[in-house]
Amino acid sequence: MLTTSEARARVLAAIKPLPATTVPLAEATGRVLAEAAVAERDQPPFDRVTMDGIALRHADYATLTRSFPIQATQLAGDPALSLEPGHCIEIMTGAALPEHADLVIPVERITVNDGAAHVEANYAVQERQFIHARASDYKEGKELLRKGTRIRPMEIAVLASCGLAEVTVAAQPAVTVISTGDELVQAGQPIAPEQIRMSNGPAIVAMLQEHGYSNSTHDHLPDDKDTLRERIATHLEQSDVLILSGGVSRGKADYVPEILADLGVSVDFHRVSQRPGKPMWFGTGPAGQPVFALPGNPVSTLVCCRQYVVPALDKASGETPPPQLFANLSEDVTFKPNLTYFVPVRIVTSAAGHSVAMPVRTNTSGDFAALAGTTGYVELAMSQTLFRAGSTLPLTRW
């Protein structure tokens, strides 16, 4: 069997980049930038006032004058006025600093009557206070977002500030998720005592959507060779990525590896030295599309999806890999089999500010309910059997 690092390397080596496409800014959330975003202009593009109040000259204030005739009122979005000596301009937050002004006094420090603003006695000022200087955030032409950046709400704000009504992003892969098994019944349908509810497929689709891959569909296929062969063949023709759940172990109805081979899918590996998810299968379809066949037990399915499928899609999208996260074990963990052990955990923050991983025990790899509320999983190396409380371990968030 391959080690987990070997399996992941084999998966990533088989992944080809997705083409770029252009989408409206409103549809770019969750996508990956296919080109850098640069500043359209200086930010701020002018000396920006940060408080409601009055704008005046510091030199006039230094003469100990505390009453200033109000020349005019300037709102945010108004062209910058030219300040006359000895006067002030009523100014609003976000407005451009009037020409010749270099001081803003907040409205809380003044009173207004008889057409003049009167500053409270003994109010100390600093030149250019409450002024957000032009280009102090960044200058025109600066690269603000790198190619490979995943677009979240904050990135949308940056892209909008660059004046981009459309954004060049990696294309969304067409992903088909297939659940196999006669025992599976969809939610809302009548169910027999010997059957179980279908959970893996919807969970895989939800995980992919959470990571930005919304073009995912789900199909349920029975344990029938002819049906499996026909439907999988169709999905191979229509999909950029195929993900199957179940049918990859050694049971008499585990037909998936055989049928994939019949359909021209070349196997890269089958079985990885890990728990959960040892029966993990990966191959490449006739058109070069990645094919993942995940074990049918729910915990195994979700771990394998996060450990192998999501990184593969991220690479295809050109996303810059995030830094590896780590957490400290909250208690001793013993694991004797010579396998890498992926342990579901809840993460809490210690008084010292460290991430502490609290192991969540699952009652076999079919106990998907135990995963509710977990943060992700930590990776225990196969070369050890005892992991002490406080040990620092690699953490993967769901």
Side-chain angles (χ1 to χ4, degrees), residues 1 42 107 139 199 225-226 362 368:
M1 287 185 291
D42 294 344
V107 67
K139 294 183 179 296
S199 61
K225 282 189 176 183
D226 291 338
T362 59
F368 60 89

Side-chain angles (χ1 to χ4, degrees), residues 61-77:
Y61 196 82
T63 65
L64 303 182
T65 299
R66 294 296 178 265
S67 295
F68 301 89
I70 298 174
Q71 173 186 327
T73 298
Q74 184 181 314
L75 307 179

Side-chain angles (χ1 to χ4, degrees), residues 107-350:
V107 67
E108 294 85 359
R109 300 294 188 173
I110 65 173
T111 56
V112 176
N113 54 58
D114 298 328
H118 310 280
V119 183
E120 66 181 36
N122 301 320
Y123 177 63
V125 302
Q126 291 184 336
E127 190 173 359
R128 294 193 64 80
Q129 69 179 20
F130 303 118
I131 298 170
H132 188 185
R134 176 175 178 167
S136 59
D137 291 354
Y138 52 79
K139 294 183 179 296
E140 177 184 345
K142 178 181 174 61
E143 184 179 290
L144 300 181
L145 297 174
R146 295 184 300 171
K147 177 182 178 180
T149 299
R150 178 74 63 175
I151 302 172
R152 310 296 182 187
M154 293 305 99
E155 284 75 26
I156 289 290
V158 173
L159 293 167
S161 77
C162 294
L164 296 173
E166 295 183 326
V167 185
T168 302
V169 296
Q172 274 281 9
V175 182
T176 299
V177 178
I178 298 174
S179 298
T180 66
D182 294 335
E183 74 279 16
L184 303 178
V185 178
Q186 292 185 9
Q189 300 298 316
I191 189 167
E194 67 276 8
Q195 294 178 311
I196 60 174
R197 288 297 182 190
M198 187 187 311
S199 61
N200 287 359
I204 292 171
V205 170
M207 179 177 284
L208 298 181
Q209 290 175 340
E210 190 172 64
H211 283 272
Y213 303 106
S214 57
N215 188 17
S216 303
T217 58
H218 177 238
D219 192 12
H220 172 220
L221 303 182
D223 290 323
D224 176 77
K225 282 189 176 183
D226 291 338
T227 302
L228 285 167
R229 185 176 288 104
E230 178 185 351
R231 297 279 286 278
I232 292 175
T234 299
H235 289 309
L236 275 171
E237 293 176 357
Q238 300 174 347
S239 306
D240 298 314
V241 180
L242 196 63
I243 305 171
L244 297 99
S245 172
V248 294
S249 193
R250 295 183 175 180
K252 291 188 176 180
D254 291 332
Y255 304 130
V256 167
E258 173 190 344
I259 288 171
L260 290 174
D262 292 344
L263 295 174
V265 179
S266 60
V267 59
D268 193 308
F269 62 82
H270 187 188
R271 303 179 77 218
V272 181
S273 56
Q274 67 180 60
R275 181 179 294 178
K278 187 164 67 172
M280 168 76 190
W281 188 103
F282 174 71
T284 305
Q289 61 272 64
V291 179
F292 299 87
L294 313 182
N297 281 325
V299 180
S300 302
T301 295
L302 293 177
V303 167
C304 288
C305 185
R306 182 62 186 88
Q307 185 70 11
Y308 302 107
V309 179
V310 171
L313 294 177
D314 289 347
K315 183 185 178 185
S317 299
E319 181 174 7
T320 302
Q324 176 64 62
L325 301 176
F326 294 90
N328 300 328
L329 269 181
S330 65
E331 60 188 69
D332 290 353
V333 175
T334 301
F335 184 69
K336 294 182 179 180
N338 191 28
L339 301 170
T340 298
Y341 188 22
F342 294 119
V343 183
V345 294
R346 291 188 178 91
I347 296 297
V348 298
T349 303
S350 69

